[in-house]
């Protein structure tokens, strides 16, 4: 997936792992020709003659899909890479080969959580900011077939009671925090605070964070933001949520280390529509409500919704966090000067403000901003990311067995 660490566990995390609406993909490929899960890549790769390359492509994509399904990986039709790449390539290849493909979505639009809508000439990320990034050159070249990408670089800023800090943690951050000017000075200060904390075996998220980056960074840039994200004190969150925090002893404030990065010009919706060109799409259809009739249409179904709803909550619902967005149009050309500003104090009710125009270097006379509020999930509310604790993981394990 685009981001495999579940939610924003600190002020530096880019975006949450999202739960998406259901999709149905059907194609005419007999199950008996699909590879067992334990086969090697060499064993799985078809050995058809070179003249039958299209058949090889179809079978190989199907095998990749089968392996994902056999491993019980939830494929994310909206934001995941390379899972979504596999599915979308499959759609195009199968359609080109004359196979039947159907995609459904319970929402009124395509694109899942990367859906964008135009407001005041600005592409607004309706379900939160999404920055495309990958190290895979093939994936990058593939998506550029459906959209032209700009050179946007994700460089968020943290606002702590009016103090502004560069993210992720880098030399700009340390200079503002401590006045240090060299990597050696920054490293020494972090080491001093770690030692002063004297935490040998971290028992919770707070102790884990302090043992990694010291008390100053934890108090100003981790604690409040994390507690708003999870709705729980850091002392009640397990240490494994933050296994490590990124610390750069350089002045590089590019959040991602990916080789390729950008935003599709004209929005993600346009890109997804181009990907689905000529493929049947049914909107406002809930797969779970029409499961029997939809299953009857397909030899293989790819479901991308939540696992507990798929099994009708037979063990009870999993715990999720949700996100509420307050979006407004402002009659000014520039509200905050950056696409993403995280509010890392506990008192500010929202976690961050997104100013959408800066994703595409907009110069419109007005601007659109979205404030994000994290909240506990309840039935009827969109789940955005699962609560990452032992109790919830144990419950997920029971569903995973099914």
């Amino acid at each position: 997936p685009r981001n495999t660490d579940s939610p924003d566990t600190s002020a530096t995390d880019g975006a949450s792992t999202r739960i998406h609406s259901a999709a149905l993909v059907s194609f005419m490929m007999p199950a008996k020709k699909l590879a067992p899960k334990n086969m090697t890549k060499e064993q799985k790769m078809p050995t058809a003659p070179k003249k039958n390359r299209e058949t090889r492509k179809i079978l190989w994509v199907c095998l990749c899909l089968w392996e994902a399904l056999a491993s019980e990986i939830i494929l994310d039709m909206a934001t995941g890479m390379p899972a979504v790449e596999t599915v979308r390539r499959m759609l195009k290849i199968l359609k080109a080969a004359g196979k039947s493909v159907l995609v459904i979505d319970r929402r009124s639009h395509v694109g899942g959580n990367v859906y964008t809508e135009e407001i005041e000439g600005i592409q607004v990320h309706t379900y939160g900011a999404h920055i495309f990034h990958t190290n895979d050159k093939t994936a990058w070249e593939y998506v550029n077939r459906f959209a032209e990408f700009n050179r946007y670089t994700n460089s968020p800023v943290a606002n702590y009671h009016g103090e502004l800090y560069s993210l992720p943690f880098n030399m700009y951050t340390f200079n503002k925090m401590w006045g240090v000017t060299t990597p050696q000075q920054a490293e020494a200060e972090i080491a001093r605070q770690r030692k002063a904390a004297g935490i040998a075996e971290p028992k919770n998220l707070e102790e884990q964070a302090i043992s990694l980056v010291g008390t100053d960074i934890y108090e100003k840039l981790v604690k409040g933001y994390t507690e708003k994200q999870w709705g729980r004190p850091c002392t009640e969150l397990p240490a494994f949520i933050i296994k490590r925090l990124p610390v750069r002893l350089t002045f590089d404030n590019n959040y991602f280390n990916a080789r390729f990065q950008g935003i599709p010009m004209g929005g993600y919706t346009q890109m997804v529509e181009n990907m689905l060109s000529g493929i049947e799409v049914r909107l406002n259809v809930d797969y779970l409500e029409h499961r029997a009739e939809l299953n009857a249409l397909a030899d293989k179904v790819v479901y991308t919704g939540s696992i507990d709803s798929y099994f009708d909550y037979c063990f009870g619902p999993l715990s999720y966090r949700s996100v509420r967005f307050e979006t407004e149009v402002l009659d000014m050309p520039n509200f905050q000067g950056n696409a993403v500003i995280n509010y890392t104090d506990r008192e500010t009710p929202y976690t961050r403000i997104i100013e959408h125009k800066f994703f595409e270097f907009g110069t419109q006379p007005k601007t659109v901003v979205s404030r994000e509020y994290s909240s506990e999930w309840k039935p009827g509310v969109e789940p955005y990311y699962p609560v990452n604790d032992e109790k919830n993981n144990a419950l997920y394990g029971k569903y995973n067995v099914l």
Side-chain angles (χ1 to χ4, degrees):
R2 184 175 65 87
N3 189 346
T4 54
D5 44 23
S6 20
D8 294 23
T9 51
S10 76
T12 66
D13 286 329
S16 308
T17 299
R18 311 290 194 179
I19 302 297
H20 297 276
S21 39
L24 174 72
V25 180
S26 63
F27 55 92
M28 305 303 294
M29 177 60 64
K32 64 182 179 181
K33 292 187 179 181
L34 297 174
K37 179 181 176 182
N38 60 355
M39 289 183 70
T40 65
K41 179 177 179 180
E42 290 73 18
Q43 290 172 313
K44 292 172 186 174
M45 190 62 189
T47 57
K50 290 184 178 180
K51 65 180 181 180
N52 202 2
R53 290 177 180 174
E54 198 60 34
T55 301
R56 296 177 69 216
K57 285 183 181 179
I58 295 170
L59 183 54
W60 175 237
V61 173
C62 292
L63 293 175
C64 291
L65 178 61
W66 174 254
E67 181 177 30
L69 292 172
S71 302
E72 297 177 337
I73 296 172
I74 297 178
L75 301 182
D76 182 335
M77 288 291 288
T79 64
M81 285 295 296
V84 66
E85 189 66 21
T86 301
V87 174
R88 284 175 174 155
R89 287 189 185 188
M90 181 190 69
L91 295 179
K92 303 299 286 189
I93 292 172
L94 292 175
K95 178 180 179 296
K99 305 300 180 181
S100 173
V101 179
L102 170 65
V103 175
I104 69 167
D105 201 306
R106 62 181 172 83
R107 286 178 174 161
S108 61
H109 57 74
V110 298
N113 281 8
V114 298
Y115 172 76
T116 53
E117 58 179 326
E118 185 173 317
I119 301 176
E120 296 291 340
I122 299 166
Q123 290 298 323
V124 174
H125 296 220
T126 304
Y127 303 100
H130 290 83
I131 298 93
F132 187 94
H133 61 99
T134 181
N135 284 315
D136 190 323
K137 184 179 180 181
T138 301
W140 179 249
E141 291 175 345
Y142 181 77
V143 295
N144 273 271
R145 290 167 51 189
F146 304 101
E148 180 181 356
F149 280 71
N150 65 20
R151 58 173 181 82
Y152 177 80
T153 299
N154 190 28
S155 300
V157 172
N159 184 322
Y160 178 78
H161 292 305
E163 299 175 14
L164 301 180
Y165 293 91
S166 176
L167 297 176
F169 307 141
N170 63 79
M171 284 301 298
Y172 288 116
T173 318
F174 308 140
N175 175 262
K176 178 67 177 288
M177 185 78 69
W178 302 312
V180 298
T181 57
T182 68
Q184 294 76 21
Q185 292 172 336
E187 196 168 30
E189 180 60 27
I190 293 172
R192 186 190 68 80
Q193 293 191 19
R194 286 173 179 163
K195 184 177 180 179
I199 301 170
E201 293 291 335
K203 298 180 179 61
N204 53 53
L205 188 148
E206 177 173 281
E207 293 183 355
Q208 178 73 14
I210 292 174
S211 68
L212 290 172
V213 295
T215 54
D216 290 346
I217 291 177
Y218 167 72
E219 291 290 343
K220 288 190 174 184
L221 303 182
V222 177
K223 178 178 169 63
Y225 191 87
T226 303
E227 291 183 347
K228 287 189 290 188
Q229 279 283 348
W230 290 99
R232 296 158 175 79
C234 287
T235 53
E236 296 179 10
L237 293 169
F240 67 76
I241 291 179
I242 296 184
K243 294 183 178 179
R244 68 175 193 73
L245 290 174
V247 176
R248 290 182 184 167
L249 296 174
T250 68
F251 289 90
D252 180 10
N253 67 338
N254 180 355
Y255 181 83
F256 300 117
N257 292 317
R259 183 180 175 190
F260 305 102
Q261 179 178 181
I263 301 284
M265 297 169 64
Y268 282 99
T269 300
Q270 179 175 281
M271 181 187 77
V272 174
E273 288 174 344
N274 289 339
M275 286 180 164
L276 296 174
S277 175
I279 293 172
E280 183 181 358
V281 178
R282 298 181 189 178
L283 302 177
N284 300 303
V285 176
D286 191 326
Y287 165 75
L288 297 177
E289 293 181 2
H290 305 278
R291 189 183 316 204
E293 60 185 89
L294 290 171
N295 284 352
L297 300 177
D299 285 346
K300 187 63 62 177
V301 176
V302 180
Y303 170 78
T304 66
S306 59
I307 191 171
D308 51 353
S309 61
Y310 182 84
F311 290 108
D312 200 25
Y313 305 101
C314 63
F315 298 127
L318 289 163
S319 296
Y320 299 95
R321 297 289 289 171
S322 189
V323 182
R324 176 172 60 87
F325 303 93
E326 287 185 356
T327 299
E328 62 176 328
V329 178
L330 302 177
D331 192 11
M332 60 176 70
N334 186 347
F335 173 71
Q336 64 184 17
N338 201 54
V340 181
I341 295 187
N342 295 351
Y343 286 78
T344 60
D345 63 278
R346 190 66 180 86
E347 294 72 28
T348 302
Y350 41 84
T351 56
R352 62 182 182 177
I353 298 180
I354 306 299
E355 189 163 6
H356 301 269
K357 71 189 305 178
F358 292 118
F359 289 128
E360 295 192 46
F361 314 107
T363 58
Q364 297 88 346
K366 295 183 180 181
T367 192
V368 181
V369 300
S370 297
R371 291 173 175 82
E372 297 186 10
Y373 299 81
S374 185
S375 61
E376 203 72 14
W377 174 83
K378 57 185 178 181
V381 176
E382 193 75 27
Y384 273 80
Y385 51 89
V387 172
N388 193 0
D389 61 19
E390 292 181 4
K391 180 181 178 181
N392 210 39
N393 287 337
L395 181 57
Y396 167 73
K398 294 176 66 176
Y399 278 113
N400 199 34
V401 171
L402 299 179

